[in-house]
Amino acid sequence: MVDYKGKPSLPDVKPDDILLGVDGAPATGATMGQVWSLLGGSPGQTRSLTFEREGKRFTVDAPVHRFLAAPAKESPTTKITQPVTKKK
């Protein structure tokens, strides 16, 4: 978990804790994009996160502070229109 305003965003969570679920939905076996979607929300909302530490499960209520906006629309200058091939 990252810091928020210079303090740990979730002081009860430690670096080696394993995220098992978000609001009852499983996070294990999910892609990063799926977990990202589960964590989304608006400031003021709360997500219930289930973790495992040393074989024990625990739940932490995590407030949504901010969430990154959707990616900007693709720019024609950054779009790859043809596959890149290596010269032999």
Side-chain angles (χ1 to χ4, degrees), residues 21-42:
V22 178
D23 290 336
T28 53
T31 66
M32 184 59 101
Q34 290 167 328
V35 173
W36 185 260
S37 294
L38 293 171
L39 292 171
S42 300

Side-chain angles (χ1 to χ4, degrees), residues 37-71:
S37 294
L38 293 171
L39 292 171
S42 300
Q45 292 180 320
T46 301
R47 296 287 172 258
S48 179
L49 309 178
T50 303
F51 290 94
E52 182 176 301
R53 180 187 304 148
E54 298 175 359
K56 296 180 182 176
R57 290 182 180 208
F58 64 99
T59 302
V60 175
D61 289 331
V64 176
H65 294 291
R66 66 184 176 119
F67 205 73
L68 298 176

